[in-house]
Amino acid sequence: MSRTIIVSNRLPTKILRTENTLTFQPSEGGLATGLGSIYRQDGNVWVGWPGLFVESEEEEQHVRQELEADSMAPVFLTEAEIHDFYEGFSNSTLWPTFHYFTQFATYEQSHWEAYVAVNEKFCQAVLEMAGPDDTIWVHDYQLLLLPEMLRRARPDCTIGFFLHIPFPSHELIRVLPWRNELLQGMLGADLIGFHTYGYMRHFLSAVSQLLGLNSQNGQLQTPTRTVLVDAFPMGIDYDRYAQAAASEAALAHEAEYREALRTTRVILSIDRLDYTKGIAQRLRAFEVLLQRYPEWAERVSLIMVVVPSRDQVAQYASLKEEIDEIVGRINAQYRTIYWTPIHYFYRSFPLEELAALYRIAEVALVTPMRDGMNLVAKEFIASKADQRGVLILSERAGAARELSDALIINPTDTGQLAEAMHDALVMPEEEQMQRMAAMQALVQQYNVFSWTKLFMDRLSYAKIKQLTLATETLDTSTTTQLVTEYQAAERRLLLLDYDGTLAGFNTNPQRARPDEEMLLLLQRLAENPRNRVVVISGRDRTTLQNWLGHLPIDFIAEHGVWLRRAGEEWTLFQTLRNDWKTEIRPILELYVSRTAGSFIEDKEYSLVWHYRRADAELSAMRARELVSHLTFLASNTDLQVMEGNKVIEIKNAGINKGTAASRWVAEYEPDFIVAIGDDRTDEDTFGAMPPEAYTIKVGSAPRSLARFHVRGTTDVRQLLRKLL
Ligand SMILES: O=P(O)(O)OC[C@H]1O[C@H](O[C@H]2O[C@H](CO)[C@@H](O)[C@H](O)[C@H]2O)[C@H](O)[C@@H](O)[C@@H]1O
Ligand SMILES: O=c1ccn([C@@H]2O[C@H](COP(=O)(O)OP(=O)(O)O)[C@@H](O)[C@H]2O)c(=O)[nH]1
Ligand SMILES: [Mg+2]
């Protein structure tokens, strides 16, 4: 039976050592509480770190067994690994960078190395566990390299990846020395999910800017595969929080708190201790509230739960001191014998007590500087059975993209935040209920179960899509068959594209000169009297002539405009005009002047706008603009607009690599054909070949007419060598 293997840095259970005994308790943090409800189903298993340093083999065995009984498999990390991988790279490099706190980020080579090593350790643990049909779902920034590591070990397995924190602008990502490795690591997945569309957009733009990979409608084309990218805002186990809030235990705790607080109204905040959560700013805003509206003195208190977190990281330790200091100062200044302005707790609470706090609070303050999602906001909403209560929510929490009925604030605007608190405290009940009802409906519908289902369904879809769209890989047995057929054949036709097929794709087209190995390979293939070798390219005939003209091969140049059989003269495919160039050239010049780095190639019967060296995103936009501009102009002419790899070409209609290649098939009557190409324009060749021909696409494409595909130019060379 196939099952799902969830992988995250932290298990939903953490183990504490007190003297000689181990206690197992639930982990804090959104990931553990969010997914905690679902992993126990259907033989699924959760792989992760249990938060404990084991001291002996026996202890390790014991922990492993205990966790296994509860569907978990531990990855044990050493103190050094926790220092360099968790506190170091994960929480001192990635966490601040991804939350726009680059001033806190450190860049240590040793931390990076530990990050690689621990990702490998997780990879081994997963591989030991995963069967070929299992789905692997990797979570979060601590394991960005894992998808690609798993992919390398199991090329066909199903891998999902979800990032729980923001994905920042590529301007921040590019600051990281290891940015390309990190992005490549994520691209090992079949589906990559984010909480919001904004994060997804930033990711796609980073991939385009830094790796030069294009996407369309969230479908990303890597050299080998199609990867889907999408937004999946995570939800909570709504019923669990609603039930907890309605439980006897929660009611009893609430009564207790009410008695202690007497008539004081409650504003609540709950977070892990983290500089991303805006805790200090929130305290200052509360102080401003008391200054601006002295009438709230003795009438409203802030209950602030701060859960200890990552206290070995310097920034966290100093934040703790800062908060202690501000709370102390405000309380000292405003408190009375009857009233404490801020009830500050630095510890975690069990679910029933959290539920009681959610119940008693009239206002929840969720005001992070940056937060991937923030589940506390959703838990507060689920706990409000009577629909009274107001959520104040930072516009920079992922949750703000969904919860538009909250009072949305900018957390750095202390004045606005203070006013929002006041507004919340005086909001008429009817308005509170209206807003709360709308948010409850949303949080109830988009819960953690629908989130999981949506992600998993989309992951199966990604897989099916890859299978149905992808051409078959040219594996060893097909290669053997190809070679056998080749050897038996008398009249063989080899149609070979140049750039991206025989030569690697170069940012400067003039630098893609043939190397010695290629020249020798073509020479030897062409020498065989049973072979007809045709280089079929979009390049101008002069370049092909200069580079390859001395070889006994045929040429199809300018996508079929110019033809040359070995030893003969160049001829035109048909009589052509090029008087249209005077009208079209100024348009291309306009796009060059608007797009630095782009340039025009002027071929005898076509004009090309190249943008491989221009800013990836700007030029992609300009390219769409240019295509529609040219298509409009060409509509009543005999011109055609062709899009290739970072090029737009305009030329006479009816001529392409396919029509030219057909001429060779008709004249030469081959009994064996291999046609290889990497580009959109090569699709015309593939489409024009008889069904038994070996059509081979280099790299991946969402849809290709070729029967087979290979990874890159190295594979092409290898295949051609086999034919010698
Ligand atoms: O494992 P820790 O270092 O103790 O940290 C706890 C978790 O914090 C982060 O939570 C995030 O995930 C939430 C659910 O998607 C989201 O609501 C929140 O905005 C994020 O900050 C972190 O991403 C987890 O990996 C940690 O385990
Ligand atoms: O004493 C506490 C306080 C909070 N939480 C939980 O910690 C999670 C915090 O998740 P959130 O997404 O708000 O932020 P994160 O900590 O993941 O950044 C929520 O589910 C809270 O219920 C907890 O388990 N114990
Ligand atoms: Mg090509």
Side-chain angles (χ1 to χ4, degrees):
M1 195 188 65
S2 76
R3 52 182 188 163
T4 302
I5 298 177
I6 295 174
V7 198
S8 71
N9 172 56
R10 193 183 280 286
L11 282 175
T13 293
K14 72 176 179 190
I15 307 174
L16 298 180
R17 185 194 305 284
T18 33
E19 284 160 29
N20 287 327
T21 51
L22 299 182
T23 39
F24 291 64
Q25 63 177 53
S27 308
E28 293 90 18
L31 199 155
T33 56
L35 268 174
S37 306
I38 50 173
Y39 70 95
R40 289 187 182 93
Q41 304 154 359
D42 311 324
N44 297 344
V45 55
W46 191 324
V47 179
W49 177 57
L52 173 82
F53 301 122
V54 281
E55 290 178 347
S56 65
E57 291 261 325
E58 297 84 73
E59 189 174 71
E60 185 172 319
Q61 236 7 68
H62 165 69
V63 168
R64 201 177 280 286
Q65 274 165 9
E66 290 286 311
L67 291 173
E68 195 185 292
D70 199 13
S71 310
M72 285 176 270
V75 175
F76 294 105
L77 300 177
T78 65
E79 282 182 59
E81 283 167 338
I82 285 302
H83 182 263
D84 293 346
F85 151 78
Y86 173 75
E87 285 147 14
F89 201 77
S90 298
N91 289 320
S92 303
T93 307
L94 295 177
W95 181 271
T97 303
F98 280 49
H99 286 87
Y100 294 79
F101 280 85
T102 38
Q103 71 275 27
F104 292 167
T106 58
Y107 312 102
E108 296 287 340
Q109 182 63 22
S110 59
H111 292 177
W112 163 251
E113 282 159 16
Y115 187 80
V116 177
V118 171
N119 272 255
E120 261 156 13
K121 200 164 179 176
F122 272 84
C123 183
Q124 283 317 314
V126 175
L127 291 175
E128 276 165 28
M129 187 142 293
D133 295 331
D134 290 343
T135 295
I136 304 169
W137 191 5
V138 181
H139 292 266
D140 233 358
Y141 63 101
Q142 302 92 345
L143 300 174
L144 295 177
L145 302 176
L146 184 54
E148 174 59 23
M149 289 175 175
L150 290 166
R151 176 68 57 204
R152 242 179 280 145
R154 301 263 175 92
D156 297 320
C157 76
T158 305
I159 306 172
F161 178 82
F162 190 85
L163 186 73
H164 289 263
I165 64 174
F167 195 94
S169 154
H170 78 272
E171 294 295 353
L172 280 100
I173 292 296
R174 74 176 350 142
V175 174
L176 290 168
W178 309 275
R179 64 213 187 169
N180 287 14
E181 289 90 328
L182 293 165
L183 293 174
Q184 296 284 11
M186 295 170 78
L187 291 176
D190 298 298
L191 173 65
I192 301 176
F194 299 92
H195 281 306
T196 74
Y197 175 67
Y199 306 158
M200 158 186 170
R201 202 164 42 79
H202 285 319
F203 173 74
L204 289 174
S205 110
V207 165
S208 155
Q209 297 275 354
L210 298 169
L211 303 181
L213 298 177
N214 301 322
S215 66
Q216 235 174 13
N217 306 324
Q219 257 189 59
L220 197 84
Q221 227 30 75
T222 80
T224 47
R225 289 158 43 251
T226 302
V227 177
L228 291 194
V229 180
D230 213 338
F232 304 88
M234 185 178 181
I236 58 165
D237 184 347
Y238 189 93
D239 295 339
R240 177 166 178 254
Y241 285 93
Q243 280 159 15
S247 70
E248 290 292 326
L251 292 176
H253 284 300
E254 188 196 8
E256 223 176 277
Y257 301 160
R258 183 39 66 214
E259 197 182 315
L261 291 165
R262 293 176 301 123
T263 56
T264 311
R265 301 173 66 181
V266 173
I267 300 179
L268 174 69
S269 87
I270 299 179
D271 342 64
R272 276 182 309 101
L273 179 88
D274 203 305
Y275 49 82
T276 60
K277 300 286 184 182
I279 301 173
Q281 291 82 349
R282 184 185 307 159
L283 287 168
R284 291 201 190 93
F286 184 68
E287 186 175 22
V288 173
L289 174 80
L290 297 178
Q291 284 162 355
R292 283 194 195 169
Y293 300 94
E295 65 266 34
W296 291 122
E298 298 200 317
R299 290 176 57 210
V300 59
S301 287
L302 172 63
I303 296 187
M304 187 169 84
V305 176
V306 176
V307 181
S309 178
R310 306 172 193 168
D311 46 15
Q312 297 307 306
V313 178
Q315 296 298 346
Y316 288 72
S318 61
L319 177 65
K320 167 75 171 48
E321 284 171 25
E322 189 188 348
I323 293 171
D324 288 354
E325 196 270 323
I326 305 174
V327 172
R329 185 171 54 72
I330 298 176
N331 274 347
Q333 185 166 349
Y334 291 90
R335 81 177 316 152
T336 65
I337 291 291
Y338 311 101
W339 173 64
T340 306
I342 303 166
H343 297 264
Y344 168 38
F345 303 87
Y346 181 61
R347 60 181 134 101
S348 66
F349 282 77
L351 181 62
E352 311 76 55
E353 289 180 44
L354 282 182
L357 288 172
Y358 286 137
R359 282 184 66 92
I360 204 167
E362 288 178 51
V363 180
L365 274 184
V366 177
T367 61
M369 292 294 130
R370 298 279 170 183
D371 209 335
M373 170 51 71
N374 195 291
L375 298 180
V376 165
K378 295 186 172 181
E379 293 167 11
F380 173 69
I381 291 167
S383 308
K384 290 302 194 187
D386 66 2
Q387 299 187 327
R388 257 159 252 163
V390 182
L391 172 64
I392 297 178
L393 181 59
S394 161
E395 63 191 8
R396 296 203 289 272
R401 303 287 122 233
E402 298 171 275
L403 302 174
S404 53
D405 281 295
L407 297 185
I408 306 282
I409 52 91
N410 169 4
T412 24
D413 187 343
T414 318
Q416 186 197 24
L417 182 48
E419 291 302 326
M421 284 189 240
H422 176 75
D423 293 348
L425 289 166
V426 299
M427 186 184 284
E429 279 197 357
E430 200 188 317
E431 184 182 346
Q432 294 182 30
M433 292 170 80
Q434 243 167 29
R435 289 172 180 266
M436 190 57 82
M439 294 194 286
Q440 283 184 343
L442 191 139
V443 177
Q444 189 165 23
Q445 183 184 349
Y446 299 96
N447 56 50
V448 75
F449 302 101
S450 59
W451 175 75
T452 311
K453 182 165 181 336
L454 207 63
F455 188 90
M456 285 301 174
D457 288 352
R458 196 78 190 143
L459 181 53
S460 326
Y461 170 78
K463 215 59 198 172
I464 291 167
K465 200 164 169 82
Q466 282 176 3
L467 289 177
T468 51
L469 292 183
T471 48
E472 214 178 299
T473 320
L474 190 75
D475 56 14
T476 341
S477 76
T478 328
T479 310
T480 315
Q481 195 184 340
L482 183 153
V483 174
T484 317
E485 283 182 35
Y486 169 85
Q487 281 162 350
E490 290 299 325
R491 302 171 65 77
R492 308 145 173 165
L493 179 62
L494 281 69
L495 295 161
L496 307 173
D497 165 55
Y498 189 79
D499 294 87
T501 301
L502 287 173
F505 193 74
N506 201 298
T507 43
N508 181 345
Q510 287 314 314
R511 253 187 242 145
R513 286 184 153 276
D515 52 45
E516 279 306 313
E517 189 202 38
M518 189 207 304
L519 292 173
L520 196 67
L521 201 55
L522 291 174
Q523 171 79 35
R524 292 193 48 205
L525 282 170
E527 269 167 13
N528 187 326
R530 291 195 280 168
N531 287 350
R532 192 86 187 250
V533 180
V534 188
V535 167
I536 177 165
S537 169
R539 283 189 180 261
D540 65 86
R541 61 176 171 138
T542 323
T543 307
L544 292 178
Q545 177 72 41
N546 289 343
W547 286 356
L548 303 168
H550 61 288
L551 297 172
I553 59 176
D554 298 353
F555 293 97
I556 296 175
E558 280 194 35
H559 297 116
V561 171
W562 286 104
L563 317 174
R564 198 195 115 176
R565 283 145 190 102
E568 295 178 14
E569 290 303 309
W570 286 97
T571 56
L572 274 177
F573 181 81
Q574 63 187 44
T575 340
L576 293 170
R577 302 165 45 152
N578 59 14
D579 50 354
W580 51 269
K581 280 185 168 181
T582 42
E583 192 192 338
I584 299 295
R585 194 180 293 105
I587 297 170
L588 299 190
E589 278 162 1
L590 175 69
Y591 279 80
V592 169
S593 64
R594 291 174 66 207
T595 319
S598 69
F599 58 94
I600 298 170
E601 183 187 3
D602 200 337
K603 298 193 270 192
E604 276 168 283
Y605 290 94
S606 61
L607 283 174
V608 195
W609 185 67
H610 287 264
Y611 58 96
R612 60 183 87 181
R613 272 149 59 188
D615 178 280
E617 283 176 290
L618 175 71
S619 62
M621 185 183 85
R622 293 276 196 261
R624 283 193 296 279
E625 215 182 313
L626 178 59
V627 166
S628 71
H629 195 155
L630 292 175
T631 311
F632 173 73
L633 287 177
S635 54
N636 284 317
T637 68
D638 62 349
L639 293 177
Q640 60 172 326
V641 182
M642 279 179 16
E643 279 189 82
N645 196 356
K646 306 267 184 197
V647 293
I648 290 166
E649 175 149 2
I650 184 149
K651 56 154 34 127
N652 293 267
I655 295 186
N656 59 51
K657 287 183 176 180
T659 46
S662 301
R663 200 174 274 186
W664 257 257
V665 175
E667 286 174 11
Y668 181 60
E669 295 181 347
D671 56 359
F672 172 90
I673 303 175
V674 62
I676 318 180
D678 69 305
D679 206 341
R680 290 256 273 281
T681 61
D682 300 306
E683 294 297 321
D684 294 323
T685 315
F686 301 146
M689 293 300 111
E692 65 279 7
Y694 283 92
T695 44
I696 303 171
K697 158 95 189 165
V698 185
S700 74
R703 196 179 286 280
S704 172
L705 295 174
R707 288 170 60 204
F708 305 101
H709 76 90
V710 295
R711 277 170 164 256
T713 49
T714 324
D715 297 336
V716 175
R717 297 261 174 119
Q718 214 167 37
L719 174 68
L720 294 178
R721 273 198 300 270
K722 287 209 174 94
L723 300 184
L724 291 175

